């Protein structure tokens, strides 16, 4: 079995943002020379998420709308204190919790060198605490 | 809007190419967040509605063997982007500190001076070490921003950063505009007393030491002092500062805006007071 790993860097531009990363993932899969297998898409952050849904701007808005209702920006969170390892206060509990809720990864099968994904399915990188330069991994496994 | 208090210490294009600077950022300034492209800094400003940001370096060569960003690198960033306003820092323990300040302002075009008595280990009212620098700053008509109150860096003594030490300076250099950084926290009342008494003393809002920015700024400006003190008496003496990247700029902007100050007062804090001090 072959395993290929590529890191993709993206610059988010807003505090919250849904970025369609499907084209980048497809390109990496198609350039991997792996014909049959699996592709993992994994965020390297704890205040961002990976999610799959239909690629519509209204749904993008709904994701943040409902997450804000479930996990409000302002709450009685414990994560609001000085963190010596960062040299600053951690004050973004809600972004970490949203990341937990959405998850940080997804995967798709690969067949005949292409990702098996439906026309409506879109892979989103979800920024919860931007703007920041972010990285996600695309790991292609197979023969 | 102007952010009067930022540190460009995570700018990847500069810090990422300078191992000594990266060590200074990590080990001396105690900043552990990941480096970010310059674009992130600008986008953080955009997200906060900030047009211009003051960049503050710290020269602690004698006490820590490093500069936490050099004057030359500040100049470089300012040349690349007109949204930055560069300040200089000089080491008060160096014999040529005054001459260096004169050079950085006249020749490099920097617009003010940053001093950090905690990291640089001097008392702000030290006549031998600090007064010659203030003399030059006063002649050059540049503002001096002085770290006051608590600092996060380890091995830095708070005793150097007590706001009342600045009274001698304010008194002896009446033409020198002095900014007490971080509201002098926890000595907020002392800082307010100085700003009330001395026309040349200002305070920046870059204070976030407990809880969330909104909770902390509300605590400082409604419980440590009444909010009416800002609205009625200190509206021309407060400058917005975030202390980015120890805190995201937009989170501090939101915290100050949430206080319920009038639009006129907010305009002074976010823009006009800084414009006056910077002569822009």
């Amino acid at each position: 079995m072959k395993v290929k790993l590529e890191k993709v860097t993206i610059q988010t531009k807003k505090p919250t943002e849904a970025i369609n990363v499907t084209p980048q993932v497809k390109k990496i899969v198609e350039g991997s020379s792996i014909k049959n297998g699996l592709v993992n898409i994994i965020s390297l952050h704890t205040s961002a998420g990976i999610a799959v849904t239909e690629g519509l701007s209204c749904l993008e808005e709904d994701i943040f709308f409902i997450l804000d209702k479930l996990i409000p920006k302002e709450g009685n969170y414990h994560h609001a204190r000085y963190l010596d390892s960062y040299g600053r206060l951690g004050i973004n509990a809600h972004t970490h919790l949203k990341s937990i809720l959405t998850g940080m990864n997804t995967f798709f099968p690969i067949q005949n060198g292409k990702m098996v994904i439906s026309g409506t399915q879109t892979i989103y990188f979800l920024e919860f605490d931007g703007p920041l330069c972010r990285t996600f991994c695309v790991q292609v496994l197979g023969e | 809007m102007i952010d009067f208090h930022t540190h460009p210490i995570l700018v990847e294009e500069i810090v990422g190419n300078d191992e000594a600077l990266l060590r200074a950022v990590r080990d001396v300034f105690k900043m552990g967040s990941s480096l970010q492209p310059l674009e992130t800094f600008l986008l953080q400003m955009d997200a906060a509605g900030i047009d211009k940001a003051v960049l503050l370096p710290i020269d602690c060569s004698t006490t820590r063997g490093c500069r936490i960003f050099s004057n030359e690198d500040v100049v470089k960033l300012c040349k690349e982007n007109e949204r930055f306003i560069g300040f200089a820092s000089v080491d008060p323990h160096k014999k040529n500190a005054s001459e260096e300040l004169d050079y950085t302002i006249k020749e490099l075009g920097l617009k003010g001076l940053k001093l950090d008595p905690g990291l640089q280990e001097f008392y702000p009212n030290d006549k031998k070490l600090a007064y010659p620098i203030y003399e030059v700053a006063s002649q050059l008509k540049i503002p001096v921003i002085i770290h006051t109150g608590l600092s996060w860096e380890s091995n830095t003594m708070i005793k150097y950063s007590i706001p009342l030490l600045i009274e001698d300076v304010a008194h002896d250099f009446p033409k020198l505009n002095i900014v007490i950084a971080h509201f002098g926290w926890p000595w907020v009342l002392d800082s307010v007393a100085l700003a009330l008494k001395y026309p040349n003393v200002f305070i920046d809002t870059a204070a976030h030491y407990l809880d969330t920015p909104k909770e902390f700024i509300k605590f400082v400006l409604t419980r440590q002092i009444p909010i009416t003190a800002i609205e009625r008496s200190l509206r021309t003496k407060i400058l917005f500062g975030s202390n980015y990247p120890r805190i995201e700029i937009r989170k501090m902007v939101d915290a100050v805006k949430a206080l319920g100050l009038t639009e006129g007062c907010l305009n002074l804090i976010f823009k006009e007071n800084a414009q006056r001090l910077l002569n822009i």
Side-chain angles (χ1 to χ4, degrees), chain B residues 5 14 16 46 56-57 60 62 67 74-75 84-85 128 144 161 171 175 190 208 233 254 264 273:
Chain B
H5 196 132
I14 289 178
D46 290 343
L56 303 175
C60 44
T62 301
R67 294 191 291 178
V74 170
V75 170
F84 293 136
I85 300 162
K128 191 178 161 206
V144 179
S161 303
H171 175 268
K175 290 183 179 169
D190 293 9
H208 180 222
S233 301
D254 289 348
N273 295 339

Side-chain angles (χ1 to χ4, degrees), chain B residues 2-6 50 145 182 203-207 217 238-244 247 249 252-253 256 269-270:
Chain B
I2 298 170
D3 185 340
F4 209 85
H5 196 132
T6 73
I50 292 291
I145 180 167
H182 312 291
I203 299 171
D204 87 22
T205 66
I217 290 292
I238 308 294
L239 306 161
F240 172 75
S242 67
N243 204 21
Y244 177 80
I247 180 72
I249 303 171
M252 286 303 281
V253 167
V256 173
I269 293 171
F270 279 113

Side-chain angles (χ1 to χ4, degrees), chain A residues 15-16 46-49 71-73 77 79 91-102 126-130 134, chain B residues 250-251:
Chain A
T16 56
T46 58
S47 58
I71 308 169
K73 283 177 191 161
Y77 303 114
H79 184 65
I91 46 158
N92 55 349
H94 70 101
T95 69
H96 290 301
L97 298 173
K98 284 166 183 164
S99 173
I100 290 169
L101 204 61
T102 58
L126 300 174
E127 175 61 84
F128 299 128
D129 202 14
R134 300 292 208 172
Chain B
R250 66 186 161 84
K251 293 175 186 174

Side-chain angles (χ1 to χ4, degrees), chain B residues 154-173:
Chain B
S154 45
N155 304 317
T156 53
M157 307 292 278
I158 292 176
K159 66 179 182 180
Y160 294 114
S161 303
I162 294 169
L164 280 182
L165 295 171
I166 290 170
E167 180 170 26
D168 289 330
V169 188
H171 175 268
D172 294 341
F173 296 90

